[in-house]
């Protein structure tokens, strides 16, 4: 079996033109060599895998190179020291002893000290004098990922070059070049995901590339990359956003559960969703589309979905997702936190009713009602369980005769349970909940919401007697007494309801009783209408102040009432000298 060389070693840059994403630094070093303006102590600093050591080796080779590729004797003048394993004072003293010896071939001896931040404090101090005044034939190149750990006296003696992270675009372009070199067919989105996963490190990108190629072979697809790297695909977030915009909470929660079952972390999911909303917001303006670091095919999808979502929704969505992201680590029930966030996101664009809170969630009853499909019954058609359809035409007697008695019962039963069709009239005025006036406004808003426009054709209007009404009236009083509404029950017991046509007439001794009943008339009428199967029933309330005298409220009034019924009570009071 042929020995395999990993891409990070196989494609290590051999010249400055091969270095990816560090053009400013490589140009500076080239000009310094050409103009003989190179410092004797250089410090290369930056994240891992961005080309620090590679640039140091290329620079060391170019310093002594005379342009003849066959002559590599200058390589004997390049010394590499790993400060991670040679970090003692003795190691630095050995180095300073070697520095004094001039090169046998070429002009310079180059010392590359990698991971220089690992040197001990004593080693740094021992290295100070040599670094400040090195021999003319010696050049030091220091490399580190953690510049802040190097003492200031060392930093002040070096010319510092800050290497930047490799951009996703540059990393993807280099991966595409390598894929072509190896005869591998790679999707643009697949290479983009690898470049993103590398997080600015070219060496990591090449390692991931090798791993994915081993998994999928010569055909590198987006699906294969996401499956192998176990990263959340763009499609997951596109589907999530579509469900959020459709206000489909049940499917949204199932999608999140499916994501968790694949081994993904809820924190990664919600932070990725916030980033997805950010990318959609960026896609809404032509000037900011270049900030979208995705492949061309995915960019088209972002542009399409950004047209569906409004700016207000995206900004509010980013705030909610970011808030969930911040609270995630401190939450004791992290899954519930994300699920609540998803439900709030799906409720942003829901316009079914007035929402006074940013934490509003669509009630579960909405989806329950939405999922029920009643048997279709109209004035012209009926469909029973046997899937037989019979046309009904009120002007056609023969068609009426064709309807079976069972079907007629079905129509009657359906009308009995069909609730009245209502049109909600919503008040857009917002009120505070901290004052009496606001409480009145809220009550008025609820009353306005209950204003109904009844479709007479679809509602039952069965006849009823006054005795049936009184029976249902008393049933309602018992019902609200059990619910704790004793004051309302007491008021409804003052007068026995009387019926004229379909209007219930009540008479109360004062306006306070009338107002209390009117506040609760919609629940009362809904109960009575449904119980008597007649949706034409209305309520009429009058105030008769003469009635008020019939009711005793104070202790004296109660005594006077009792004395009218039995005069001997006064004799009893006087005999025992009782107080009223």
């Amino acid at each position: 079996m042929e020995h395999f060389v990993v891409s990070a070693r196989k494609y290590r840059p051999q010249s400055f033109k091969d270095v990816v994403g560090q053009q400013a630094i490589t140009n500076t070093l080239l000009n310094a060599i050409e103009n003989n303006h190179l410092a004797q102590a250089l410090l290369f600093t930056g994240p891992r895998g961005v080309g620090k050591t590679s640039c140091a080796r290329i620079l060391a080779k170019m310093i002594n190179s005379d342009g003849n590729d066959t002559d590599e004797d200058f390589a004997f003048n390049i010394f590499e020291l790993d400060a991670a394993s040679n970090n003692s004072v003795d190691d630095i003293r050995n180095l300073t002893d070697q520095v004094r010896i001039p090169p046998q071939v070429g002009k310079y001896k180059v010392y590359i000290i990698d991971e220089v931040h690992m040197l001990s404090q004593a080693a740094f101090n021992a290295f100070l004098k040599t670094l400040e005044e090195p021999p003319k034939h010696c050049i030091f190149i220091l490399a580190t990922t953690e510049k802040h750990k190097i003492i200031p006296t060392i930093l002040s003696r070096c010319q510092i070059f800050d290497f930047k992270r490799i951009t996703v675009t540059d990393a993807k372009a280099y991966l595409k070049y390598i894929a072509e070199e190896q005869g591998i067919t790679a999707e643009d989105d697949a290479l983009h995901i690898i470049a993103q996963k590398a997080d600015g490190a070219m060496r990591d990108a090449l390692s991931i590339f090798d791993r994915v190629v081993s998994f999928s072979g010569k055909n590198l697809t987006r699906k294969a990359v996401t499956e192998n790297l176990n990263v959340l695909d763009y499609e997951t977030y596109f589907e999530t956003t579509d469900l959020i915009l459709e206000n489909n909470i049940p499917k949204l929660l199932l999608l999140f559960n499916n994501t968790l079952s694949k081994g993904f972390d809820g924190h990664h999911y919600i932070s990725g969703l916030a980033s997805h909303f950010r990318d959609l917001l960026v896609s809404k303006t032509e000037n900011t589309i270049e900030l979208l670091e995705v492949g061309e095919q995915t960019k088209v999808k972002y542009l399409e979905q950004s047209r569906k979502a409004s700016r207000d929704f995206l900004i509010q969505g980013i705030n909610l997702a970011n808030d969930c992201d911040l609270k995630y680590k401190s939450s004791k029930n992290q899954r519930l936190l994300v699920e609540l966030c998803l439900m709030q996101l799906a409720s942003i664009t829901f316009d079914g009713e007035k929402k006074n809170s940013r934490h509003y969630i669509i009630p579960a009853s909405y989806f329950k009602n939405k999922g029920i499909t009643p048997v279709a019954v109209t004035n012209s058609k009926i469909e029973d369980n046997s899937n037989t359809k019979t046309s009904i035409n009120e002007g056609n007697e023969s068609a009426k005769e064709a309807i079976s008695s069972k079907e007629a019962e079905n129509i009657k039963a359906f009308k009995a349970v069909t609730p009245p069709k209502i049109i909600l009239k919503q008040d857009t005025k917002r009120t505070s909940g901290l004052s009496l006036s606001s409480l009145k406004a809220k009550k008025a808003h609820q009353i306005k919401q209950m204003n109904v426009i009844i479709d007479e054709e679809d509602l039952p209007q069965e006849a009823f007697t006054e005795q049936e009404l009184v029976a249902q009236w008393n049933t309602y009083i018992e019902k609200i007494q059990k619910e704790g509404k004793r004051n309302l029950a007491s008021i409804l017991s003052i007068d026995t309801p009387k019926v004229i046509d379909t209007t219930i007439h009540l008479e109360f001794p004062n306006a306070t009783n009338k107002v209390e009943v009117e506040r609760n008339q919609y629940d009362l009428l809904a109960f009575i209408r449904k119980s008597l199967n007649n949706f034409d029933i209305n309520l009429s309330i009058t105030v008769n102040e003469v009635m008020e005298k019939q009711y005793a409220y104070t202790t004296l009034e109660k005594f006077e009432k009792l004395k009218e019924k039995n005069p001997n009570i006064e004799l009893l009071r006087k005999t025992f000298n009782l107080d009223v």
Side-chain angles (χ1 to χ4, degrees):
M1 186 175 68
E2 185 179 351
H3 178 65
F4 174 72
V5 180
V6 295
S7 297
R9 287 181 57 196
K10 184 177 180 181
Y11 295 99
R12 180 184 281 274
Q14 300 301 313
S15 64
F16 281 135
K17 68 179 181 179
D18 298 330
V19 177
V20 179
Q22 309 295 346
Q23 190 174 5
I25 292 176
T26 55
N27 288 343
T28 303
L29 294 174
L30 279 172
N31 292 334
I33 293 172
E34 290 177 1
N35 300 323
N36 196 23
H37 203 265
L38 194 67
Q40 285 191 280
L42 308 173
L43 175 64
F44 291 172
T45 178
R48 69 182 191 282
V50 295
K52 297 185 299 297
T53 306
S54 296
C55 284
R57 290 177 180 176
I58 295 169
L59 179 62
K61 190 190 300 183
M62 292 186 68
I63 289 172
N64 282 318
S65 177
D66 57 358
N68 185 3
D69 295 336
T70 59
D71 183 11
E72 293 187 359
D73 290 339
F74 59 83
F76 293 105
N77 293 336
I78 301 174
F79 304 91
E80 282 197 43
L81 179 69
D82 180 19
S85 54
N86 302 278
N87 56 4
S88 66
V89 177
D90 292 337
D91 294 321
I92 295 300
R93 284 174 180 168
N94 291 333
L95 177 66
T96 55
D97 290 341
Q98 294 176 18
V99 166
R100 298 171 188 168
I101 304 171
Q104 301 301 310
V105 179
K107 293 172 61 178
Y108 296 100
K109 291 177 74 173
V110 183
Y111 290 87
I112 301 173
I113 305 177
D114 206 1
E115 303 298 334
V116 70
H117 67 275
M118 299 293 286
L119 290 177
S120 64
Q121 185 73 25
F124 271 129
N125 292 331
F127 192 38
L128 275 175
K129 190 64 177 176
T130 304
L131 194 64
E132 184 177 12
E133 297 179 0
K136 292 182 179 180
H137 60 265
C138 187
I139 291 178
F140 290 100
I141 304 176
L142 314 181
T144 180
T145 55
E146 301 182 55
K147 184 175 70 172
H148 61 279
K149 290 186 178 180
I150 301 175
I151 60 176
T153 47
I154 293 288
L155 294 175
S156 65
R157 288 165 169 78
C158 298
Q159 192 175 81
I160 301 174
F161 292 86
D162 286 304
F163 284 67
K164 64 179 181 179
R165 290 180 181 274
I166 310 297
T167 64
V168 174
T169 305
D170 289 340
K172 184 174 73 172
Y174 194 62
L175 288 173
K176 185 176 182 181
Y177 161 75
I178 292 174
E180 291 172 353
E181 286 287 310
Q182 295 184 3
I184 296 171
T185 304
E187 291 183 2
D188 188 64
D189 284 344
L191 296 178
H192 189 89
I193 292 170
I194 294 173
Q196 275 190 322
K197 185 74 173 177
D199 194 25
M202 197 66 236
R203 183 169 60 234
D204 290 355
L206 293 171
S207 298
I208 295 170
F209 178 80
D210 287 344
R211 170 181 158 188
V212 176
V213 168
S214 299
F215 172 76
S216 60
K218 295 290 185 179
N219 188 19
L220 209 61
T221 63
R222 176 180 56 81
K223 184 178 179 182
V225 170
T226 53
E227 184 178 348
N228 185 259
L229 298 182
N230 199 33
V231 296
L232 275 171
D233 194 3
Y234 294 123
E235 292 299 327
T236 302
Y237 291 120
F238 281 120
E239 186 178 356
T240 298
T241 306
D242 283 337
L243 292 174
I244 288 172
L245 293 172
E246 293 168 8
N247 314 117
N248 197 332
I249 290 178
K251 286 187 178 180
L252 184 61
L253 295 180
L254 289 174
L255 176 62
F256 176 57
N257 180 69
N258 186 43
T259 303
L260 293 180
S261 66
K262 293 179 181 178
F264 293 107
D265 180 37
H267 197 184
H268 178 58
Y269 176 85
I270 200 67
S271 62
L273 186 60
S275 299
H276 183 75
F277 288 155
R278 175 262 180 194
D279 290 341
L280 288 174
L281 193 60
V282 163
S283 304
K284 294 189 77 67
T285 308
E286 292 183 3
N287 297 335
T288 56
I289 288 179
E290 61 185 27
L291 299 176
L292 204 63
E293 293 186 345
V294 295
E296 292 301 322
Q297 295 176 351
T298 309
K299 187 178 289 187
V300 174
K301 293 182 180 179
Y302 269 105
L303 292 173
E304 289 176 356
Q305 194 170 70
S306 67
R307 297 189 188 101
K308 301 178 186 177
S310 67
R311 276 190 176 83
D312 290 340
F313 163 77
L314 292 174
I315 292 171
Q316 195 172 345
I318 290 171
N319 287 333
L320 284 170
N322 188 52
D323 187 51
C324 179
D325 183 13
L326 294 173
K327 293 177 180 177
Y328 189 87
K329 288 187 178 179
S330 61
S331 174
K332 292 184 179 179
N333 194 338
Q334 296 173 334
R335 174 169 181 162
L336 178 61
L337 179 70
V338 177
E339 288 176 337
L340 282 172
C341 178
L342 291 175
M343 289 189 283
Q344 289 167 6
L345 287 169
S347 304
I348 292 174
T349 58
F350 181 69
D351 57 356
E353 58 181 276
K354 184 180 176 68
K355 304 188 291 291
N356 293 325
S357 172
R358 66 187 291 266
H359 301 297
Y360 172 81
I361 295 176
I362 303 171
S365 58
Y366 169 78
F367 300 101
K368 183 180 179 182
N369 295 334
K370 192 175 181 180
I372 295 175
T373 306
V375 179
V377 181
T378 64
N379 289 338
S380 61
K381 188 185 294 181
I382 178 170
E383 182 178 354
D384 63 7
N385 292 332
S386 61
N387 294 327
T388 59
K389 299 181 179 179
T390 309
S391 298
I392 303 173
N393 191 333
E394 293 181 357
N396 190 333
E397 293 296 331
S398 62
K400 286 185 179 180
E401 293 174 0
I403 303 175
S404 66
S405 60
K406 182 178 179 181
E407 291 170 337
E409 289 174 4
N410 287 341
I411 297 174
K412 184 177 180 180
F414 178 78
K415 286 187 174 183
V417 300
T418 302
K421 293 181 180 178
I422 62 173
I423 298 175
L424 297 180
K425 297 181 179 179
Q426 296 186 354
D427 187 7
T428 58
K429 183 179 179 182
R430 294 190 176 182
T431 60
S432 169
L434 302 176
S435 64
L436 290 174
S437 60
S438 65
L439 291 174
K440 291 179 180 178
K442 183 178 179 182
K443 197 68 181 179
H445 169 69
Q446 292 175 347
I447 292 173
K448 287 181 181 179
Q449 282 187 319
M450 293 303 298
N451 289 344
V452 298
I453 299 173
I454 300 176
D455 187 351
E456 300 290 345
E457 294 182 358
D458 287 342
L459 299 178
Q461 301 172 7
E462 291 188 6
F464 61 92
T465 64
E466 191 169 290
Q467 289 76 13
E468 290 174 335
L469 169 65
V470 172
Q472 295 302 329
W473 188 272
N474 293 333
T475 302
Y476 182 75
I477 292 173
E478 292 176 4
K479 174 177 173 290
I480 61 176
Q481 277 181 332
K482 292 179 182 178
E483 294 174 356
K485 300 178 181 178
R486 293 183 178 84
N487 184 44
L488 178 62
S490 177
I491 293 172
L492 292 177
S493 302
I494 290 176
D495 189 28
T496 302
K498 301 172 183 61
V499 181
I500 300 176
D501 293 332
T502 57
T503 302
I504 301 173
H505 291 269
L506 291 173
E507 199 172 52
F508 292 122
N510 55 58
T512 304
N513 299 144
K514 178 182 178 183
V515 170
E516 186 63 27
V517 174
E518 285 177 343
R519 284 177 179 171
N520 296 276
Q521 66 175 316
Y522 302 105
D523 291 336
L524 171 63
L525 285 175
F527 179 86
I528 298 297
R529 286 170 177 173
K530 186 175 180 181
S531 300
L532 298 177
N533 205 21
N534 189 317
F535 287 84
D536 273 353
I537 296 174
N538 293 308
L539 191 62
S540 176
I541 303 173
T542 58
V543 177
N544 185 357
E545 295 181 356
V546 177
M547 290 179 62
E548 191 167 8
K549 298 178 181 179
Q550 301 175 7
Y551 293 91
Y553 297 102
T554 66
T555 306
L556 182 61
E557 288 173 349
K558 291 177 181 177
F559 176 75
E560 293 297 332
K561 279 284 184 184
L562 290 172
K563 193 167 68 172
E564 288 177 11
K565 292 183 179 180
N566 190 351
N568 292 329
I569 289 178
E570 176 64 19
L571 178 62
L572 179 67
R573 186 188 70 80
K574 289 180 179 180
T575 302
F576 292 99
N577 195 23
L578 300 175
D579 294 329
V580 177

